[in-house]
């Protein structure tokens, strides 16, 4: 790979949008190398990106417990966990750098859990039979993000990174087919601002807020990646969304978001529902052992409660569809710690998951030590995202995409503790290398914000904002988002059929139409206006949702998080179709109300054998 | 339940704000405080009025974005709880609730309940890190860190940077926030080489950013949603004193 001479690096400017694990790590590392970096986040500080909410841990192939782990095994587990729909080379690289990440974070002062002798501690996680997960209590994402934030802070202090907080990217500026900058809205003043860069990096996270209720933060959106899509970037596998099995069930219809409880709870918690529907209203302690159905242990004896997320989620849905759900809504299953408390004592369980029990009690007013928790699946993560090559560059030259925002390593399903690994791998150890060959081919600083494309982009953004503000209809942004969310959850959620997807494709444009005719966005353009921010994000979801559904409809197979009811085995397991669908579906935007065009990137597996993914 | 809210409304940084009164009727005890405000806002929008602006993001108590003084207490009266995790079952039918922004000279109000907390980032930029480079570091197990030290560091590192400690302090001091980072890095071997420089740089930054000093009221610990202990302030003071003793290495 080509390199950029150290004395030339300072001549280049790189824009990094998003300051989570991927963006924060990238901005810090690129700044340290000597590039001029400008970083952007919509929150008031880069430390608040939603990576912070990851609880359970981060995988690495250290094999410290001497339990047979290796780079190959982590690679294989990730490819298999993704139901053989990830690009092999990218996953291999991820597994290779996984160990460096742990070392890097330790050097930053991340307080990983340690044993009394002072060595790093590990726990096991869904989809793996080794203990390869490093953790910092139930706040691993927070600690890793604060590590990246500290590295970023150091570069801001050194003047290598200029930080723009409370900015939201509302357009990608493309000049002669090459990414050259972004258009942002200053969320405090309302000013529309232009920024130029020799390269643009998007690390803007995932899109599952398209379901309205999800575990994502309220501000998470598809806006940045969707704007890039509209400028020609391909959107890959948008139908691969992860529904996380261990979330707190929904209560009432006024809820604004769902709360995840770390999957690590499944290490010591047993999942069950009553065998008979008539027991569902009883207090769990009144249901004797023989009347309980520990369905994960029954169906998947070798992985048991640690079955991967897609499988555990679908099994919970099946149990509830069967009328055996618990709780007021009957959309819940028990997660029971009694056996572990009996075996290890309450204090051990408290030490491992104390903060999660506390959080559960705050939300539900129930004590998880005294009675089993109730959990239900919720939208959590998007495996799909912008298409990138091995260098993490999209099909638009100069546009790089990192972390959850790209599609590359998780295939159709992500394993637990792998998102943190990918974000930091991309930011610390991939982009610093892979951006160099691209930059080495350029003369730096050739196109700046005085180029007409920047003015045009800013003008378009202003017009769209004014259009939204002028509708003054009857429905709030929140109401319309809930409508979209309910269509997406019912029709494009955990189980999808041709009929449900076609129904969604009819409903989405209707809601979009209503948005543009009947939404009420209060306030003005030139002020801090949160309704306008929400409206903007929803407008993009309303277009993105259609592409996501189109992808789900075209993929006539079940794999990972994408479950088509037409394609299942007799006992309800996902049935892949490697003959016809072993490819990345990369969609090219052709305009609102026009069908997107599909480009296929075949997936070639040279080091693993395609197999039926079994956790039995 | 039915509630009466008195909410601080302020159009912009230069404007004069005041408390406005709103009704929140039919509130469910299972709703979160912010979900209750979402509904009040929906009503305001439908009445053609400007909804209440407030910071929030993760709504699960970890990002540190939410920041409201509820009945005079940052994040409300429930211990170790952020506003977003506060639920309406903590209130009673007929309650009057006063909702205000963080108040501190270092946190100018941007709009309604939203303040600018950039000053906390500046304190971090002064030295809240180890100056390690990306790549080329030692194996994670090359440094042995006993469990008690790792636990102590983690207790400090749990700070979510919300600024409730500043809002609670009569002096608007950022001492608890700063001490959490200083203490975490001072006890870890990775942070020790820069400990002297760090504590001085961060202490200078809290003064230049307009935070007050600490006079041991301990309101910060009481308000902290993560229960960060004031023992870290003692640690900060010790570290600061140590840094004043001349060393041949300076």
């Amino acid at each position: 790979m080509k390199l950029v001479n150290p004395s030339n690096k300072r001549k280049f400017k790189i824009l990094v949008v998003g300051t989570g694990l991927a963006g924060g790590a990238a901005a810090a590392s690129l700044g340290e190398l000597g590039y001029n970096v400008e970083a952007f986040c919509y929150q008031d500080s880069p430390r608040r990106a939603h990576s912070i909410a990851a609880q359970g841990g981060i995988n690495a192939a250290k094999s410290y417990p001497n339990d047979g782990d290796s780079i190959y095994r982590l690679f294989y587990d990730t490819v298999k966990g993704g139901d053989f729909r990830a690009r092999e080379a990218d996953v291999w690289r991820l597994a290779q750098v996984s160990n460096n990440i742990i070392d890097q974070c330790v050097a930053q002062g991340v307080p990983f859990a340690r044993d009394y002798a002072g060595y790093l501690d590990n726990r096991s996680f869904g989809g793996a039979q080794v203990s390869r997960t490093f953790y910092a209590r139930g706040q691993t994402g927070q600690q890793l993000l604060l590590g990246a934030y500290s590295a970023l802070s150091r570069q801001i202090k050194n003047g290598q990174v200029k930080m723009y907080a409370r900015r939201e990217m509302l357009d990608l500026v493309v000049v002669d087919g090459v990414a050259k900058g972004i258009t942002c809205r200053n969320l405090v003043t309302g000013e529309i601002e232009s920024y130029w860069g020799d390269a643009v990096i998007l690390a803007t996270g995932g899109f599952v807020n398209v379901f309205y209720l999800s575990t994502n933060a309220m501000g998470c959106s598809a806006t940045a990646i969707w704007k890039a899509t509209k400028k020609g970037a391909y959107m890959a596998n948008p139908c691969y969304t992860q529904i996380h099995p261990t979330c707190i069930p929904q209560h009432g219809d006024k809820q604004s978001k769902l709360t995840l409880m770390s999957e690590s709870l499944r290490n010591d918690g047993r999942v069950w529902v009553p065998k008979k529907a008539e027991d569902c209203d009883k207090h769990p302690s009144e249901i004797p052992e023989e009347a309980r159905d520990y369905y994960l242990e029954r169906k998947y004896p070798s992985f048991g409660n640690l079955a991967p997320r897609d499988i555990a989620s679908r099994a919970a849905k099946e149990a509830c569809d069967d009328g055996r759900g618990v709780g007021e809504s009957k959309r819940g299953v028990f997660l029971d710690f009694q056996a572990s408390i009996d075996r290890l004592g309450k204090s051990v369980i408290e030490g491992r998951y104390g903060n999660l029990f506390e959080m559960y009690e705050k939300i539900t007013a129930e004590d998880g030590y005294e009675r089993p928790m109730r959990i239900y699946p919720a939208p959590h993560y998007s495996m799909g995202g912008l298409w990138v090559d091995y260098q993490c560059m999209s099909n638009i030259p100069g546009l790089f995409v990192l972390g959850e925002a790209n599609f590359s390593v998780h295939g159709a399903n992500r394993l637990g503790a792998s998102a943190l690994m990918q974000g930091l791998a991309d930011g610390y150890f991939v982009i610093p290398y892979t951006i160099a060959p691209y930059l080495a081919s350029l003369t730096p600083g050739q196109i700046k914000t005085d180029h007409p494309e920047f003015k045009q982009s800013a003008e378009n953004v202003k017009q769209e904002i004014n259009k939204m503000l002028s509708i003054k209809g009857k429905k709030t942004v929140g109401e319309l988002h809930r409508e979209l969310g309910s269509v997406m959850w019912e029709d494009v959620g955990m189980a999808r059929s041709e009929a449900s997807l076609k129904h969604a494709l009819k409903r989405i444009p209707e809601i979009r139409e209503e948005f543009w005719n009947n939404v009420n966005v209060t306030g003005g353009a030139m002020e801090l206006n949160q309704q306008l921010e929400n409206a903007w994000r929803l407008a993009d979801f309303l277009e993105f949702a259609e592409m996501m559904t189109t992808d789900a409809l075209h993929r006539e197979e079940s794999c990972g998080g994408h479950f088509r009811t037409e394609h299942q085995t007799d006992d309800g397991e996902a049935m892949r179709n490697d003959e016809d669908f072993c490819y990345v579906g990369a969609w090219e935007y052709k305009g609102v109300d026009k069908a997107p065009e599909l480009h296929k990137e075949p997936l070639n597996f040279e080091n693993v054998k395609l197999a039926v993914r079994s956790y039995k | 339940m039915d509630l009466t809210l008195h909410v601080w409304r302020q159009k912009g940084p230069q404007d004069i704000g005041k408390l406005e009164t709103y009704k929140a009727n039919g509130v469910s005890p299972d709703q979160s405080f912010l979900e209750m405000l979402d509904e009040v806002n929906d009503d305001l929008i439908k009445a053609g009025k400007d909804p209440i602006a407030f910071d929030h993001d993760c709504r699960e108590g970890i990002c540190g974005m939410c920041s409201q003084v509820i009945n005079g207490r940052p994040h409300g009266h429930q211990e170790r709880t952020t506003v977003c995790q506060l639920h309406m079952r903590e209130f009673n039918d007929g309650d009057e609730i006063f909702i205000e922004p963080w108040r501190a000279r270092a946190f100018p109000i941007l709009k309604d309940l939203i303040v600018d907390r950039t000053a906390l980032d500046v304190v971090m930029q002064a030295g809240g890190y180890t100056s390690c480079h990306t790549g080329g570091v030692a194996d994670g197990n090359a440094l042995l860190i006993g469990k008690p030290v790792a636990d102590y560091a983690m207790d400090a590192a749990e700070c979510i940077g919300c600024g409730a400690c500043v809002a609670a302090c009569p002096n608007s001091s950022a001492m608890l926030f700063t001490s959490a980072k200083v203490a975490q890095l001072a006890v870890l071997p990775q942070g020790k080489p820069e400990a002297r420089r760090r504590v001085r740089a961060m202490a200078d930054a809290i003064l230049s950013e307009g935070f007050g000093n600490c006079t041991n009221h301990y309101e910060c610990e009481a308000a902290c949603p993560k229960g960060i202990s004031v023992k870290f302030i003692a640690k900060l003071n010790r570290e600061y004193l140590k840094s004043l003793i001349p060393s041949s290495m300076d």
Side-chain angles (χ1 to χ4, degrees):
Chain A
M1 273 197 296
K2 274 197 199 167
L3 298 171
V4 178
N5 178 311
S7 62
N8 281 342
K9 287 199 176 91
R10 63 173 175 269
K11 297 175 186 161
F12 289 94
K13 190 161 91 174
I14 301 168
L15 308 183
V16 181
V17 187
T19 58
L21 290 180
S29 301
L30 293 169
E32 190 180 85
L33 284 171
Y35 297 110
N36 293 299
V37 177
E38 292 181 358
F40 303 82
C41 68
Y42 72 81
Q43 301 90 342
D44 71 333
S45 161
R47 67 177 293 154
R48 309 209 195 280
H50 199 56
S51 309
I52 206 161
Q55 297 166 356
I58 176 165
N59 285 333
K62 289 276 196 188
S63 196
Y64 284 157
N66 198 28
D67 57 357
D69 202 4
S70 64
I71 287 172
Y72 180 83
R73 191 178 288 276
L74 174 56
F75 155 77
Y76 181 79
D77 284 353
T78 307
V79 171
K80 177 189 171 194
D83 218 349
F84 304 94
R85 290 291 176 264
R87 198 192 280 143
E88 205 183 48
D90 299 42
V91 182
W92 178 253
R93 177 177 63 191
L94 176 69
Q96 276 184 313
V97 301
S98 66
N99 293 341
N100 302 57
I101 297 170
I102 302 303
D103 302 338
Q104 188 65 37
C105 296
V106 167
Q108 289 168 347
V110 169
F112 283 119
R114 301 255 175 179
D115 61 21
Y116 281 94
Y119 292 94
L120 288 158
D121 196 18
N122 290 113
R123 56 166 65 144
S124 52
F125 236 72
Q129 286 174 316
V130 292
S131 289
R132 62 160 71 102
T133 304
F134 294 78
Y135 65 101
R137 291 196 188 138
Q139 291 116 291
T140 316
Q142 179 200 24
Q143 294 309 314
L144 298 179
L145 181 64
L146 293 182
Y149 165 73
S150 73
L152 178 61
S153 296
R154 180 169 153 251
Q155 295 309 321
I156 294 171
K157 175 75 174 176
N158 291 347
Q160 283 302 120
V161 178
K162 193 160 172 20
M163 184 67 223
Y164 294 93
R166 293 201 196 263
R167 300 295 198 294
E168 187 156 6
M169 171 186 151
L170 295 185
D171 200 15
L172 177 74
V173 179
V174 178
V175 178
D176 300 328
V178 180
K180 287 294 177 189
I182 60 173
T183 304
C184 289
R185 181 165 181 269
N186 180 323
L187 299 182
V188 178
T189 63
E191 215 77 50
I192 302 302
E193 302 168 339
S194 297
Y195 298 90
W196 67 271
D198 295 299
V200 177
I201 297 174
L202 298 187
T204 53
F207 51 73
V208 291
N209 269 346
V210 73
F211 292 104
Y212 183 65
L213 283 179
S214 85
T215 66
N216 279 11
M218 304 300 283
C220 294
S221 77
T223 288
I225 59 172
W226 185 246
K227 294 304 180 192
T229 308
K230 290 178 87 166
K231 285 291 173 79
Y234 294 170
M235 179 68 75
N237 302 335
C239 75
Y240 294 157
T241 48
Q242 178 159 79
I243 314 294
H244 193 291
T246 53
C247 301
I248 300 176
Q250 191 186 344
H251 61 76
D253 53 0
K254 294 170 178 173
Q255 198 163 351
S256 60
K257 81 152 270 166
L258 297 168
T259 303
L260 176 123
M261 308 246 295
S262 170
E263 174 179 4
S264 62
L265 288 169
R266 289 198 278 144
N267 273 314
D268 287 302
R270 300 177 72 195
V271 177
W272 64 277
V273 290
K275 279 184 180 159
K276 289 190 217 122
E278 53 267 32
D279 284 348
C280 289
D281 289 322
K282 286 188 189 159
H283 191 279
S285 63
E286 291 166 15
I287 304 171
E289 205 54 35
E290 62 276 12
R292 300 175 176 191
D293 178 14
Y294 295 91
Y295 57 84
L296 286 177
E297 296 170 25
R298 172 172 59 79
K299 289 163 96 163
Y300 309 101
S302 68
F303 278 70
N305 294 297
L306 289 177
R309 292 178 174 175
D310 53 338
I311 288 174
S313 289
R314 231 161 21 241
K317 180 180 187 292
E318 276 165 24
C320 295
D321 287 348
D322 194 29
R324 296 186 291 141
V326 296
E328 215 172 294
S329 63
K330 293 278 182 283
R331 303 306 292 181
V333 299
F334 288 125
L335 180 63
D336 195 335
F337 292 87
Q338 199 54 51
S340 295
I341 291 172
D342 294 345
R343 190 175 76 247
L344 304 164
K346 186 179 163 186
S347 64
V348 172
I349 297 300
E350 213 171 337
R352 284 182 190 166
Y353 316 106
N355 64 317
L356 299 172
F357 278 77
E358 228 175 79
M359 192 170 80
Y360 181 79
E361 185 164 5
K362 267 178 200 154
I363 294 174
T364 62
E366 281 177 16
D367 181 352
Y369 299 106
E370 293 297 318
R371 60 180 290 163
M373 292 179 177
R374 285 173 297 110
I375 54 168
Y376 196 67
H380 175 56
Y381 187 88
S382 35
M383 282 73 71
L386 289 180
W387 184 88
V388 289
D389 61 13
Y390 185 70
Q391 321 291 348
C392 285
M393 186 158 83
S394 74
N395 57 307
I396 299 179
L399 177 69
F400 293 80
V401 191
L402 308 181
E404 189 178 354
N406 76 26
F407 86 101
S408 69
V409 295
H410 302 301
N413 173 57
R414 178 174 67 73
L415 291 181
S418 285
L420 303 184
M421 175 170 69
Q422 187 211 351
L424 290 182
D426 286 359
Y428 287 135
F429 299 115
V430 176
I431 194 69
Y433 295 79
T434 61
I435 203 168
Y438 173 72
L439 293 176
S441 70
L442 298 180
T443 310
Q446 281 209 310
I447 290 172
K448 297 195 171 161
T449 50
D450 52 7
H451 191 279
E453 280 295 333
F454 279 91
K455 290 204 181 65
Q456 186 60 50
S457 165
E459 214 33 63
N460 293 349
V461 165
K462 283 178 197 163
Q463 274 180 16
E464 199 149 348
I465 286 175
N466 289 335
K467 197 170 149 197
M468 274 179 210
L469 288 169
S470 66
I471 300 166
K472 296 282 175 257
K474 293 214 158 42
K475 281 199 175 162
T476 65
V477 177
E479 283 171 333
L480 288 163
H481 198 166
R482 267 191 285 265
E483 275 179 44
L484 172 68
S486 116
V487 169
M488 296 306 285
W489 181 239
E490 292 303 325
D491 292 345
V492 200
M494 266 189 285
R496 303 153 172 182
S497 68
E498 189 184 339
S500 77
L501 293 166
K502 285 188 169 160
H503 177 253
L505 284 176
K506 187 174 145 293
R507 284 290 293 134
I508 297 163
E510 287 169 6
I511 303 171
R512 189 166 64 224
E513 178 81 9
E514 171 150 36
F515 175 89
W516 286 108
N517 289 299
N518 195 28
V519 75
N520 182 8
V521 185
T522 50
M526 301 306 289
E527 60 176 317
L528 196 161
N529 186 341
Q530 294 177 309
Q531 287 302 310
L532 179 62
E533 295 166 28
N534 293 343
W536 189 284
R537 293 167 192 154
L538 176 60
D540 290 328
F541 277 134
L542 284 166
E543 294 177 3
F544 166 78
E546 211 173 343
M547 189 180 271
M548 177 177 156
T549 310
T550 305
D551 185 36
L553 182 62
H554 114 281
R555 191 164 279 279
E556 290 276 357
E557 65 165 348
S558 294
C559 57
H562 171 64
F563 189 78
R564 285 286 299 268
T565 53
E566 301 94 335
H567 304 287
Q568 54 182 315
T569 60
D570 291 339
D571 52 353
E573 299 294 334
M575 218 158 66
R576 247 178 27 229
N577 177 352
D578 292 333
E579 196 95 323
D580 301 319
F581 288 96
C582 196
Y583 61 77
V584 177
W587 296 90
E588 183 181 354
Y589 177 81
K590 290 286 181 184
V592 187
D593 299 327
K594 290 206 182 88
E597 186 184 337
L598 176 65
H599 302 269
K600 297 177 184 176
E601 181 203 337
L603 291 168
N604 300 312
F605 293 91
E606 291 165 18
N607 297 289
V608 299
K609 232 178 93 211
L610 284 174
V612 174
R613 181 166 159 256
S614 169
Y615 291 91
K616 289 196 170 169
Chain B
M1 55 180 115
D2 296 340
L3 306 162
T4 306
L5 311 180
H6 304 283
V7 185
W8 187 262
R9 302 303 306 264
Q10 182 172 334
K11 271 197 101 53
Q14 309 308 329
D15 295 290
I16 294 169
K18 64 170 189 225
L19 287 168
E20 299 264 6
T21 303
Y22 305 100
K23 290 278 178 209
N25 293 335
V27 175
S28 149
D30 288 332
Q31 273 179 290
S32 73
F33 197 83
L34 298 185
E35 284 162 6
M36 182 274 294
L37 283 183
D38 288 342
E39 289 213 339
V40 172
N41 274 346
D42 269 359
D43 292 344
L44 287 174
I45 294 165
K46 293 209 159 143
K49 291 181 186 152
D50 202 20
I52 304 157
F54 58 88
D55 263 333
H56 65 103
D57 203 26
C58 78
R59 296 207 176 188
E60 48 186 277
I62 192 75
C63 78
M65 191 108 175
C66 63
S67 43
Q68 301 176 16
V69 175
I70 298 167
N71 290 337
R73 301 175 71 163
H75 291 300
H77 63 277
Q78 193 180 12
E79 272 182 25
R80 299 194 56 166
T81 306
T82 55
V83 180
C84 67
Q85 293 287 75
L86 181 65
H87 279 67
M88 295 315 293
R89 64 180 81 93
E90 297 295 320
F91 296 87
N92 299 311
D93 188 32
D95 275 0
E96 288 200 45
I97 303 174
F98 289 81
I99 309 172
E100 296 168 88
W102 280 180
R103 294 196 190 277
R105 188 171 62 172
F107 294 160
I109 293 177
L110 297 176
K111 184 179 183 180
D112 296 343
L113 305 171
I114 297 180
V115 299
D116 182 352
R117 286 170 286 190
T118 309
L120 295 180
D121 286 323
V122 176
V123 172
M124 282 298 180
Q125 287 155 17
Y129 41 77
T130 71
S131 300
C132 67
H133 298 279
T134 303
V137 299
D139 184 89
N141 266 346
L143 285 172
L144 295 185
I145 302 166
K147 189 171 187 306
V149 174
D151 283 349
Y152 179 96
M154 183 65 206
D155 286 344
E158 287 195 23
C159 168
I160 58 172
C162 63
C165 47
V166 178
C169 177
N171 306 335
S172 297
S173 168
M175 204 68 115
L176 189 66
F177 169 83
T178 311
S179 72
K181 192 48 74 180
V182 166
Q184 176 200 344
L185 294 178
V187 298
L188 291 174
Q190 305 93 304
K192 282 207 160 80
E194 296 172 279
R196 290 165 65 87
R197 195 169 52 115
R198 175 181 309 114
V199 67
R200 282 205 231 168
M202 292 181 81
D204 287 348
I206 42 183
L207 291 182
S208 64
E209 286 303 302
F211 294 106
N213 211 333
C214 171
T215 45
N216 298 317
H217 290 265
Y218 300 168
E219 293 287 344
C220 50
E221 182 184 293
C224 177
K226 295 292 146 182
I228 307 287
S229 162
V230 291
K231 75 180 180 194
F232 297 122
I233 296 181
K235 176 72 177 166
L236 181 146
N237 286 330
R238 274 203 304 281
E239 288 293 314
Y240 190 77
L241 257 179
K242 272 199 310 201
S243 80
L244 296 177
I245 300 165
S247 154
S248 59
M249 299 292 179
D250 276 350

